[in-house]
Short mmCIF file of all heavy atoms in Angstrom, two decimals:
data_model
loop_
_atom_site.label_atom_id
_atom_site.label_comp_id
_atom_site.label_asym_id
_atom_site.label_seq_id
_atom_site.Cartn_x
_atom_site.Cartn_y
_atom_site.Cartn_z
N MET C 17 -62.71 187.94 -75.84
CA MET C 17 -61.84 188.07 -74.75
C MET C 17 -62.19 187.28 -73.60
O MET C 17 -63.24 187.01 -73.35
CB MET C 17 -61.76 189.64 -74.23
CG MET C 17 -61.48 190.63 -75.39
SD MET C 17 -59.75 190.54 -76.06
CE MET C 17 -58.88 191.43 -74.87
N LYS C 18 -61.10 186.85 -72.88
CA LYS C 18 -61.29 186.10 -71.66
C LYS C 18 -60.35 186.51 -70.57
O LYS C 18 -59.42 187.35 -70.84
CB LYS C 18 -61.27 184.58 -71.81
CG LYS C 18 -59.89 184.19 -72.32
CD LYS C 18 -59.99 182.64 -72.57
CE LYS C 18 -58.50 182.00 -72.83
NZ LYS C 18 -58.50 180.62 -73.03
N ILE C 19 -60.71 186.12 -69.37
CA ILE C 19 -59.89 186.46 -68.22
C ILE C 19 -58.65 185.59 -68.08
O ILE C 19 -58.94 184.28 -68.05
CB ILE C 19 -60.71 186.53 -66.93
CG1 ILE C 19 -61.73 187.67 -67.03
CG2 ILE C 19 -59.75 186.78 -65.69
CD1 ILE C 19 -62.82 187.47 -65.92
N ARG C 20 -57.50 186.19 -67.94
CA ARG C 20 -56.35 185.26 -67.46
C ARG C 20 -55.98 185.87 -66.03
O ARG C 20 -55.75 186.98 -65.85
CB ARG C 20 -55.11 185.46 -68.35
CG ARG C 20 -53.92 184.67 -67.81
CD ARG C 20 -52.66 185.04 -68.57
NE ARG C 20 -52.72 184.41 -69.93
CZ ARG C 20 -51.98 184.94 -70.94
NH1 ARG C 20 -51.18 185.87 -70.78
NH2 ARG C 20 -52.03 184.39 -72.16
N PHE C 21 -56.03 184.88 -65.11
CA PHE C 21 -55.75 185.29 -63.66
C PHE C 21 -54.49 184.58 -63.26
O PHE C 21 -54.45 183.30 -63.39
CB PHE C 21 -56.89 184.83 -62.86
CG PHE C 21 -56.73 184.98 -61.35
CD1 PHE C 21 -56.53 186.24 -60.78
CD2 PHE C 21 -56.78 183.81 -60.57
CE1 PHE C 21 -56.30 186.31 -59.42
CE2 PHE C 21 -56.48 183.94 -59.19
CZ PHE C 21 -56.28 185.20 -58.66
N GLU C 22 -53.59 185.20 -62.75
CA GLU C 22 -52.36 184.62 -62.17
C GLU C 22 -52.37 184.57 -60.62
O GLU C 22 -52.18 185.56 -60.00
CB GLU C 22 -51.10 185.53 -62.68
CG GLU C 22 -50.82 185.28 -64.03
CD GLU C 22 -49.47 185.95 -64.61
OE1 GLU C 22 -48.53 185.43 -63.85
OE2 GLU C 22 -49.46 186.66 -65.42
N ARG C 23 -52.72 183.48 -60.26
CA ARG C 23 -52.95 183.10 -58.71
C ARG C 23 -51.67 183.57 -57.95
O ARG C 23 -51.76 184.04 -56.78
CB ARG C 23 -53.32 181.73 -58.61
CG ARG C 23 -53.30 181.20 -57.17
CD ARG C 23 -54.44 181.91 -56.32
NE ARG C 23 -54.45 181.49 -54.98
CZ ARG C 23 -53.65 181.86 -54.10
NH1 ARG C 23 -52.73 182.73 -54.42
NH2 ARG C 23 -53.70 181.40 -52.90
N GLU C 24 -50.50 183.38 -58.55
CA GLU C 24 -49.20 183.55 -57.87
C GLU C 24 -49.01 185.06 -57.62
O GLU C 24 -48.30 185.41 -56.60
CB GLU C 24 -48.02 183.03 -58.61
CG GLU C 24 -48.17 181.64 -59.11
CD GLU C 24 -49.12 181.61 -60.41
OE1 GLU C 24 -48.89 182.46 -61.36
OE2 GLU C 24 -49.91 180.81 -60.48
N ARG C 25 -49.59 185.87 -58.40
CA ARG C 25 -49.47 187.40 -58.17
C ARG C 25 -50.49 187.95 -57.19
O ARG C 25 -50.23 188.97 -56.64
CB ARG C 25 -49.71 188.09 -59.55
CG ARG C 25 -48.51 187.95 -60.39
CD ARG C 25 -48.82 188.64 -61.67
NE ARG C 25 -47.83 188.82 -62.66
CZ ARG C 25 -46.93 189.68 -62.88
NH1 ARG C 25 -47.06 190.84 -62.02
NH2 ARG C 25 -45.92 189.71 -63.61
N CYS C 26 -51.57 187.25 -56.94
CA CYS C 26 -52.75 187.79 -56.11
C CYS C 26 -52.32 187.82 -54.75
O CYS C 26 -51.79 186.87 -54.08
CB CYS C 26 -53.94 186.91 -56.29
SG CYS C 26 -55.35 187.33 -55.20
N GLN C 27 -52.54 189.06 -54.13
CA GLN C 27 -52.27 189.24 -52.82
C GLN C 27 -53.46 189.55 -51.91
O GLN C 27 -53.39 189.96 -50.68
CB GLN C 27 -51.22 190.52 -52.63
CG GLN C 27 -49.87 190.17 -53.25
CD GLN C 27 -49.17 189.12 -52.60
OE1 GLN C 27 -49.16 189.04 -51.36
NE2 GLN C 27 -48.48 188.21 -53.40
N GLY C 28 -54.63 189.35 -52.52
CA GLY C 28 -55.87 189.46 -51.73
C GLY C 28 -56.32 190.85 -51.46
O GLY C 28 -56.97 191.09 -50.53
N HIS C 29 -56.04 191.78 -52.49
CA HIS C 29 -56.49 193.19 -52.24
C HIS C 29 -58.10 193.20 -52.46
O HIS C 29 -58.60 194.19 -51.96
CB HIS C 29 -55.77 194.07 -53.41
CG HIS C 29 -54.36 194.22 -53.01
ND1 HIS C 29 -53.92 194.90 -52.01
CD2 HIS C 29 -53.26 193.65 -53.63
CE1 HIS C 29 -52.50 194.88 -51.99
NE2 HIS C 29 -52.17 194.10 -52.96
N ASN C 30 -58.63 192.22 -53.17
CA ASN C 30 -60.10 192.20 -53.31
C ASN C 30 -60.77 193.38 -54.08
O ASN C 30 -61.88 193.48 -54.10
CB ASN C 30 -60.69 192.04 -51.96
CG ASN C 30 -60.53 190.62 -51.39
OD1 ASN C 30 -60.19 189.65 -52.21
ND2 ASN C 30 -60.62 190.46 -50.09
N ARG C 31 -59.96 194.24 -54.80
CA ARG C 31 -60.65 195.19 -55.65
C ARG C 31 -61.40 194.60 -56.76
O ARG C 31 -62.36 195.13 -57.09
CB ARG C 31 -59.52 196.10 -56.11
CG ARG C 31 -58.85 196.92 -55.03
CD ARG C 31 -57.92 197.90 -55.53
NE ARG C 31 -57.11 198.53 -54.56
CZ ARG C 31 -56.07 199.24 -54.81
NH1 ARG C 31 -55.70 199.68 -56.09
NH2 ARG C 31 -55.42 199.82 -53.83
N CYS C 32 -60.96 193.41 -57.29
CA CYS C 32 -61.58 192.85 -58.37
C CYS C 32 -62.91 192.38 -57.95
O CYS C 32 -63.98 192.59 -58.61
CB CYS C 32 -60.77 191.63 -58.86
SG CYS C 32 -60.38 190.40 -57.48
N TYR C 33 -63.09 191.86 -56.71
CA TYR C 33 -64.33 191.37 -56.20
C TYR C 33 -65.34 192.53 -55.98
O TYR C 33 -66.56 192.43 -56.23
CB TYR C 33 -64.14 190.57 -54.95
CG TYR C 33 -65.44 190.17 -54.17
CD1 TYR C 33 -66.30 189.37 -54.70
CD2 TYR C 33 -65.69 190.80 -52.99
CE1 TYR C 33 -67.49 189.14 -54.09
CE2 TYR C 33 -66.80 190.57 -52.26
CZ TYR C 33 -67.82 189.67 -52.90
OH TYR C 33 -69.05 189.41 -52.23
N LEU C 34 -64.88 193.59 -55.42
CA LEU C 34 -65.61 194.86 -55.13
C LEU C 34 -66.10 195.47 -56.42
O LEU C 34 -67.26 195.94 -56.43
CB LEU C 34 -64.78 195.84 -54.31
CG LEU C 34 -64.56 195.45 -52.78
CD1 LEU C 34 -63.57 196.33 -52.23
CD2 LEU C 34 -65.71 195.21 -52.05
N LEU C 35 -65.20 195.52 -57.49
CA LEU C 35 -65.61 196.12 -58.70
C LEU C 35 -66.35 195.28 -59.63
O LEU C 35 -67.21 195.79 -60.43
CB LEU C 35 -64.33 196.67 -59.46
CG LEU C 35 -63.53 197.79 -58.69
CD1 LEU C 35 -62.20 197.96 -59.21
CD2 LEU C 35 -64.36 199.03 -58.71
N ALA C 36 -66.15 193.96 -59.60
CA ALA C 36 -66.86 193.13 -60.51
C ALA C 36 -67.19 191.78 -59.88
O ALA C 36 -66.57 190.67 -60.14
CB ALA C 36 -65.85 192.80 -61.75
N PRO C 37 -68.08 191.79 -58.86
CA PRO C 37 -68.47 190.54 -58.06
C PRO C 37 -69.08 189.49 -59.02
O PRO C 37 -69.14 188.32 -58.70
CB PRO C 37 -69.38 191.13 -57.07
CG PRO C 37 -69.99 192.37 -57.62
CD PRO C 37 -68.83 193.00 -58.42
N GLU C 38 -69.61 189.95 -60.17
CA GLU C 38 -70.12 188.92 -61.05
C GLU C 38 -69.08 188.06 -61.75
O GLU C 38 -69.30 187.06 -62.36
CB GLU C 38 -71.06 189.53 -62.15
CG GLU C 38 -70.40 190.60 -63.08
CD GLU C 38 -70.45 191.96 -62.56
OE1 GLU C 38 -69.78 192.23 -61.47
OE2 GLU C 38 -71.04 192.82 -63.07
N LEU C 39 -67.83 188.56 -61.75
CA LEU C 39 -66.72 187.98 -62.36
C LEU C 39 -65.71 187.31 -61.43
O LEU C 39 -64.90 186.41 -61.80
CB LEU C 39 -66.00 188.89 -63.31
CG LEU C 39 -66.78 189.53 -64.46
CD1 LEU C 39 -65.95 190.51 -65.23
CD2 LEU C 39 -67.32 188.42 -65.40
N PHE C 40 -65.66 187.82 -60.19
CA PHE C 40 -64.67 187.36 -59.26
C PHE C 40 -65.37 187.06 -57.78
O PHE C 40 -66.15 187.88 -57.36
CB PHE C 40 -63.49 188.32 -59.08
CG PHE C 40 -62.80 188.61 -60.26
CD1 PHE C 40 -63.10 189.72 -61.09
CD2 PHE C 40 -61.67 187.88 -60.69
CE1 PHE C 40 -62.40 189.94 -62.32
CE2 PHE C 40 -61.04 188.01 -61.84
CZ PHE C 40 -61.35 189.06 -62.63
N ASP C 41 -64.85 186.00 -57.29
CA ASP C 41 -65.23 185.71 -55.91
C ASP C 41 -64.04 185.64 -55.05
O ASP C 41 -62.89 185.93 -55.65
CB ASP C 41 -65.86 184.34 -55.88
CG ASP C 41 -66.81 184.15 -54.62
OD1 ASP C 41 -66.77 185.00 -53.77
OD2 ASP C 41 -67.42 183.12 -54.50
N VAL C 42 -64.11 185.47 -53.79
CA VAL C 42 -62.87 185.42 -52.95
C VAL C 42 -62.85 184.00 -52.30
O VAL C 42 -63.96 183.58 -51.65
CB VAL C 42 -63.10 186.53 -51.93
CG1 VAL C 42 -61.85 186.61 -50.88
CG2 VAL C 42 -63.11 187.88 -52.49
N ASP C 43 -61.74 183.46 -52.08
CA ASP C 43 -61.72 182.05 -51.44
C ASP C 43 -61.56 182.30 -50.00
O ASP C 43 -61.50 183.50 -49.46
CB ASP C 43 -60.69 181.17 -52.07
CG ASP C 43 -59.28 181.63 -51.79
OD1 ASP C 43 -59.02 182.51 -50.89
OD2 ASP C 43 -58.35 181.10 -52.49
N ASP C 44 -61.51 181.18 -49.17
CA ASP C 44 -61.43 181.31 -47.76
C ASP C 44 -60.14 182.06 -47.29
O ASP C 44 -60.14 182.51 -46.14
CB ASP C 44 -61.46 179.95 -47.24
CG ASP C 44 -62.92 179.26 -47.35
OD1 ASP C 44 -63.84 179.98 -47.58
OD2 ASP C 44 -62.94 178.03 -47.23
N ASP C 45 -59.24 182.16 -48.15
CA ASP C 45 -57.89 182.72 -47.66
C ASP C 45 -57.84 184.22 -48.16
O ASP C 45 -56.83 184.91 -47.95
CB ASP C 45 -56.71 181.94 -48.28
CG ASP C 45 -56.62 180.56 -47.72
OD1 ASP C 45 -56.89 180.35 -46.41
OD2 ASP C 45 -56.35 179.59 -48.43
N GLY C 46 -58.91 184.61 -48.79
CA GLY C 46 -58.93 186.07 -49.20
C GLY C 46 -58.42 186.28 -50.65
O GLY C 46 -58.31 187.47 -51.03
N TYR C 47 -58.06 185.20 -51.33
CA TYR C 47 -57.55 185.42 -52.70
C TYR C 47 -58.75 185.20 -53.84
O TYR C 47 -59.72 184.59 -53.50
CB TYR C 47 -56.45 184.34 -53.11
CG TYR C 47 -55.32 184.41 -52.15
CD1 TYR C 47 -55.15 183.59 -51.13
CD2 TYR C 47 -54.43 185.50 -52.32
CE1 TYR C 47 -54.01 183.57 -50.36
CE2 TYR C 47 -53.30 185.56 -51.54
CZ TYR C 47 -53.07 184.65 -50.46
OH TYR C 47 -52.05 184.80 -49.73
N ALA C 48 -58.49 185.94 -54.91
CA ALA C 48 -59.53 185.98 -55.95
C ALA C 48 -59.65 184.57 -56.52
O ALA C 48 -58.79 183.79 -56.68
CB ALA C 48 -59.13 187.04 -56.96
N VAL C 49 -61.00 184.43 -57.03
CA VAL C 49 -61.42 183.25 -57.70
C VAL C 49 -62.18 183.66 -58.96
O VAL C 49 -63.30 184.18 -58.75
CB VAL C 49 -62.19 182.18 -56.98
CG1 VAL C 49 -62.65 181.03 -57.77
CG2 VAL C 49 -61.51 181.90 -55.70
N PRO C 50 -61.63 183.56 -60.23
CA PRO C 50 -62.46 184.07 -61.36
C PRO C 50 -63.72 183.12 -61.52
O PRO C 50 -63.58 181.88 -61.33
CB PRO C 50 -61.46 183.83 -62.50
CG PRO C 50 -60.13 183.70 -61.90
CD PRO C 50 -60.32 183.12 -60.52
N LEU C 51 -64.77 183.68 -61.84
CA LEU C 51 -66.07 182.86 -61.88
C LEU C 51 -66.35 182.57 -63.33
O LEU C 51 -67.15 181.76 -63.65
CB LEU C 51 -67.19 183.77 -61.35
CG LEU C 51 -67.02 184.00 -59.79
CD1 LEU C 51 -68.23 184.90 -59.36
CD2 LEU C 51 -67.04 182.74 -59.02
N VAL C 52 -65.75 183.20 -64.39
CA VAL C 52 -66.13 183.05 -65.71
C VAL C 52 -64.80 182.64 -66.44
O VAL C 52 -63.95 183.44 -66.50
CB VAL C 52 -66.74 184.32 -66.40
CG1 VAL C 52 -67.01 184.09 -67.84
CG2 VAL C 52 -67.94 184.68 -65.63
N GLU C 53 -64.78 181.44 -67.02
CA GLU C 53 -63.61 180.93 -67.66
C GLU C 53 -63.60 181.17 -69.19
O GLU C 53 -62.59 181.29 -69.81
CB GLU C 53 -63.39 179.46 -67.44
CG GLU C 53 -63.00 179.30 -65.99
CD GLU C 53 -62.52 177.83 -65.80
OE1 GLU C 53 -62.35 177.12 -66.72
OE2 GLU C 53 -62.27 177.58 -64.59
N GLY C 54 -64.88 181.28 -69.77
CA GLY C 54 -64.81 181.32 -71.28
C GLY C 54 -64.88 182.74 -71.83
O GLY C 54 -64.56 183.80 -71.06
N GLU C 55 -65.46 182.89 -72.99
CA GLU C 55 -65.62 184.17 -73.73
C GLU C 55 -66.51 185.09 -72.93
O GLU C 55 -67.52 184.77 -72.40
CB GLU C 55 -66.11 183.82 -75.03
CG GLU C 55 -66.38 185.09 -75.93
CD GLU C 55 -65.06 185.65 -76.47
OE1 GLU C 55 -64.03 184.93 -76.58
OE2 GLU C 55 -65.03 186.82 -76.89
N LEU C 56 -66.07 186.33 -72.79
CA LEU C 56 -66.81 187.38 -72.09
C LEU C 56 -67.76 188.17 -73.08
O LEU C 56 -67.26 188.44 -74.15
CB LEU C 56 -65.87 188.33 -71.37
CG LEU C 56 -64.84 187.78 -70.41
CD1 LEU C 56 -64.03 188.88 -69.89
CD2 LEU C 56 -65.64 187.12 -69.22
N ASP C 57 -68.84 188.48 -72.54
CA ASP C 57 -69.65 189.49 -73.40
C ASP C 57 -69.17 190.92 -73.28
O ASP C 57 -68.26 191.08 -72.42
CB ASP C 57 -71.09 189.36 -73.15
CG ASP C 57 -71.60 189.72 -71.64
OD1 ASP C 57 -70.93 190.55 -71.15
OD2 ASP C 57 -72.61 189.23 -71.20
N GLU C 58 -69.76 191.87 -73.91
CA GLU C 58 -69.22 193.15 -73.92
C GLU C 58 -69.24 193.77 -72.63
O GLU C 58 -68.27 194.52 -72.15
CB GLU C 58 -70.12 194.04 -74.92
CG GLU C 58 -69.44 195.28 -75.45
CD GLU C 58 -70.29 195.78 -76.54
OE1 GLU C 58 -70.72 195.14 -77.42
OE2 GLU C 58 -70.45 197.13 -76.42
N GLU C 59 -70.27 193.59 -71.82
CA GLU C 59 -70.42 194.19 -70.49
C GLU C 59 -69.35 193.60 -69.51
O GLU C 59 -68.68 194.29 -68.77
CB GLU C 59 -71.88 193.91 -69.97
CG GLU C 59 -72.16 194.72 -68.77
CD GLU C 59 -73.63 194.53 -68.33
OE1 GLU C 59 -74.48 194.38 -69.19
OE2 GLU C 59 -73.87 194.56 -67.20
N GLN C 60 -69.22 192.27 -69.73
CA GLN C 60 -68.20 191.56 -68.83
C GLN C 60 -66.75 192.00 -69.20
O GLN C 60 -65.94 192.06 -68.31
CB GLN C 60 -68.33 189.98 -68.99
CG GLN C 60 -69.62 189.49 -68.36
CD GLN C 60 -69.76 188.03 -68.70
OE1 GLN C 60 -69.48 187.63 -69.93
NE2 GLN C 60 -70.31 187.30 -67.85
N VAL C 61 -66.54 192.27 -70.42
CA VAL C 61 -65.21 192.84 -70.74
C VAL C 61 -64.84 194.07 -70.08
O VAL C 61 -63.75 194.28 -69.61
CB VAL C 61 -65.02 192.98 -72.33
CG1 VAL C 61 -63.72 193.69 -72.63
CG2 VAL C 61 -65.06 191.56 -72.98
N ALA C 62 -65.89 194.96 -70.19
CA ALA C 62 -65.82 196.23 -69.44
C ALA C 62 -65.46 196.04 -67.96
O ALA C 62 -64.55 196.76 -67.44
CB ALA C 62 -66.96 197.09 -69.73
N LYS C 63 -66.22 195.19 -67.36
CA LYS C 63 -65.95 194.99 -65.86
C LYS C 63 -64.61 194.35 -65.59
O LYS C 63 -63.95 194.65 -64.67
CB LYS C 63 -67.18 194.09 -65.36
CG LYS C 63 -68.42 194.85 -65.22
CD LYS C 63 -68.28 195.84 -64.12
CE LYS C 63 -69.48 196.43 -63.63
NZ LYS C 63 -70.10 195.80 -62.49
N ALA C 64 -64.37 193.43 -66.46
CA ALA C 64 -63.02 192.68 -66.34
C ALA C 64 -61.79 193.62 -66.46
O ALA C 64 -60.87 193.58 -65.67
CB ALA C 64 -62.87 191.51 -67.19
N GLN C 65 -62.03 194.50 -67.37
CA GLN C 65 -60.95 195.56 -67.63
C GLN C 65 -60.74 196.49 -66.41
O GLN C 65 -59.67 196.82 -66.00
CB GLN C 65 -61.23 196.34 -68.97
CG GLN C 65 -60.05 197.26 -69.42
CD GLN C 65 -58.85 196.40 -69.78
OE1 GLN C 65 -58.87 195.64 -70.67
NE2 GLN C 65 -57.78 196.61 -69.02
N LEU C 66 -61.98 196.93 -65.92
CA LEU C 66 -61.96 197.70 -64.72
C LEU C 66 -61.18 197.01 -63.56
O LEU C 66 -60.38 197.55 -62.76
CB LEU C 66 -63.34 198.01 -64.29
CG LEU C 66 -63.57 199.00 -63.18
CD1 LEU C 66 -63.19 200.34 -63.49
CD2 LEU C 66 -65.09 198.97 -62.72
N ALA C 67 -61.38 195.66 -63.35
CA ALA C 67 -60.93 194.85 -62.28
C ALA C 67 -59.42 194.81 -62.59
O ALA C 67 -58.48 194.98 -61.73
CB ALA C 67 -61.50 193.52 -62.19
N ALA C 68 -59.03 194.54 -63.82
CA ALA C 68 -57.58 194.37 -64.21
C ALA C 68 -56.79 195.73 -64.04
O ALA C 68 -55.76 195.65 -63.34
CB ALA C 68 -57.47 193.99 -65.65
N ASP C 69 -57.44 196.81 -64.26
CA ASP C 69 -56.81 198.16 -64.13
C ASP C 69 -56.73 198.48 -62.68
O ASP C 69 -55.85 199.31 -62.40
CB ASP C 69 -57.65 199.21 -64.83
CG ASP C 69 -57.65 199.09 -66.31
OD1 ASP C 69 -56.83 198.29 -66.91
OD2 ASP C 69 -58.45 199.73 -66.99
N ASN C 70 -57.37 197.89 -61.83
CA ASN C 70 -57.35 198.28 -60.46
C ASN C 70 -56.66 197.20 -59.57
O ASN C 70 -56.68 197.45 -58.37
CB ASN C 70 -58.77 198.56 -59.86
CG ASN C 70 -59.30 199.87 -60.39
OD1 ASN C 70 -59.03 200.88 -59.76
ND2 ASN C 70 -60.06 199.93 -61.55
N CYS C 71 -56.19 196.16 -60.15
CA CYS C 71 -55.53 195.22 -59.35
C CYS C 71 -54.01 195.67 -59.18
O CYS C 71 -53.23 195.71 -60.12
CB CYS C 71 -55.51 193.83 -59.94
SG CYS C 71 -54.44 192.71 -59.09
N PRO C 72 -53.52 196.04 -58.00
CA PRO C 72 -52.23 196.57 -57.67
C PRO C 72 -51.14 195.58 -58.13
O PRO C 72 -49.98 195.91 -58.20
CB PRO C 72 -52.16 196.87 -56.26
CG PRO C 72 -53.65 196.65 -55.75
CD PRO C 72 -54.33 195.84 -56.67
N GLU C 73 -51.60 194.26 -58.11
CA GLU C 73 -50.54 193.18 -58.37
C GLU C 73 -50.46 192.74 -59.75
O GLU C 73 -49.66 191.77 -60.15
CB GLU C 73 -50.82 192.01 -57.48
CG GLU C 73 -50.99 192.32 -55.96
CD GLU C 73 -49.74 192.94 -55.31
OE1 GLU C 73 -48.58 192.66 -55.90
OE2 GLU C 73 -49.85 193.62 -54.36
N TYR C 74 -51.32 193.36 -60.65
CA TYR C 74 -51.29 192.96 -62.04
C TYR C 74 -51.62 191.44 -62.26
O TYR C 74 -51.03 190.77 -63.02
CB TYR C 74 -50.07 193.40 -62.80
CG TYR C 74 -49.69 194.72 -62.70
CD1 TYR C 74 -48.71 195.28 -61.86
CD2 TYR C 74 -50.44 195.82 -63.42
CE1 TYR C 74 -48.39 196.62 -61.64
CE2 TYR C 74 -50.17 197.09 -63.24
CZ TYR C 74 -49.06 197.51 -62.37
OH TYR C 74 -48.82 198.87 -62.25
N ALA C 75 -52.54 190.93 -61.48
CA ALA C 75 -52.92 189.52 -61.41
C ALA C 75 -53.93 189.17 -62.50
O ALA C 75 -54.08 188.04 -62.82
CB ALA C 75 -53.31 189.08 -60.04
N ILE C 76 -54.56 190.19 -63.07
CA ILE C 76 -55.66 190.08 -64.03
C ILE C 76 -55.37 190.59 -65.23
O ILE C 76 -54.90 191.78 -65.39
CB ILE C 76 -56.93 190.66 -63.40
CG1 ILE C 76 -57.35 190.06 -62.03
CG2 ILE C 76 -58.09 190.43 -64.39
CD1 ILE C 76 -58.38 190.90 -61.31
N GLU C 77 -55.56 189.77 -66.31
CA GLU C 77 -55.36 190.25 -67.71
C GLU C 77 -56.49 189.91 -68.63
O GLU C 77 -57.11 188.89 -68.31
CB GLU C 77 -54.15 189.58 -68.23
CG GLU C 77 -52.79 190.42 -68.29
CD GLU C 77 -51.82 189.65 -69.10
OE1 GLU C 77 -51.35 188.49 -68.57
OE2 GLU C 77 -51.45 190.06 -70.12
N LEU C 78 -56.78 190.66 -69.51
CA LEU C 78 -57.75 190.18 -70.53
C LEU C 78 -56.88 189.79 -71.77
O LEU C 78 -56.11 190.49 -72.24
CB LEU C 78 -58.53 191.44 -71.00
CG LEU C 78 -59.77 191.73 -70.04
CD1 LEU C 78 -60.59 192.91 -70.62
CD2 LEU C 78 -60.70 190.42 -70.01
N VAL C 79 -57.26 188.68 -72.26
CA VAL C 79 -56.51 188.09 -73.38
C VAL C 79 -57.54 187.51 -74.44
O VAL C 79 -58.66 187.30 -74.23
CB VAL C 79 -55.62 186.94 -73.01
CG1 VAL C 79 -54.52 187.31 -72.04
CG2 VAL C 79 -56.48 185.83 -72.40
N GLU C 80 -57.00 187.47 -75.65
CA GLU C 80 -57.84 187.06 -76.83
C GLU C 80 -58.22 185.59 -76.51
O GLU C 80 -57.35 184.82 -76.06
CB GLU C 80 -57.01 187.12 -78.12
CG GLU C 80 -56.79 188.53 -78.55
CD GLU C 80 -57.98 189.38 -79.03
OE1 GLU C 80 -59.00 188.64 -79.45
OE2 GLU C 80 -57.93 190.49 -79.09
N SER C 81 -59.46 185.15 -76.78
CA SER C 81 -59.79 183.86 -76.56
C SER C 81 -59.52 182.90 -77.84
O SER C 81 -59.14 183.42 -78.79
CB SER C 81 -61.23 183.59 -76.11
OG SER C 81 -62.07 184.70 -76.40
FE1 F3S U 116 -56.02 189.59 -56.04
FE2 F3S U 116 -55.72 191.79 -57.44
FE3 F3S U 116 -58.11 190.85 -56.84
S1 F3S U 116 -54.51 191.16 -55.68
S2 F3S U 116 -57.92 189.83 -54.93
S3 F3S U 116 -56.61 189.79 -58.07
S4 F3S U 116 -57.47 192.90 -56.77
#
């Protein structure tokens, strides 16, 4: 699985960064920046799913790589 991030949806709620700082950073404008582009390991999948579930804008998805 890998992360699909839709920048147009992100409104800068930053829950992804708070819940999974190893997977998401925040840019100077407060929007998320995914840190891992490739295949996620099991632990990363769990964290990415947590971030996806908590993004109010549905900007984060987990997709098959
Ligand atoms: Fe953006 Fe959602 Fe994270 S709105 S900053 S992707 S919690």
Side-chain angles (χ1 to χ4, degrees):
M17 304 290 278
K18 62 181 187 178
I19 294 170
R20 177 189 288 158
F21 173 64
E22 288 191 54
R23 172 65 182 77
E24 314 75 51
R25 285 179 176 263
C26 178
Q27 296 295 317
H29 295 287
N30 289 336
R31 294 184 189 173
C32 53
Y33 171 68
L34 292 172
L35 292 167
E38 63 273 64
L39 298 178
F40 297 94
D41 202 354
V42 181
D43 70 13
D44 291 343
D45 296 318
Y47 297 107
V49 180
L51 298 175
V52 179
E53 291 193 4
E55 180 74 21
L56 303 173
D57 66 28
E58 204 172 311
E59 194 175 324
Q60 289 173 322
V61 168
K63 283 296 193 91
Q65 190 62 62
L66 185 67
D69 290 345
N70 282 276
C71 175
E73 309 298 337
Y74 305 103
I76 301 165
E77 260 188 293
L78 277 179
V79 297
E80 295 288 341
S81 19

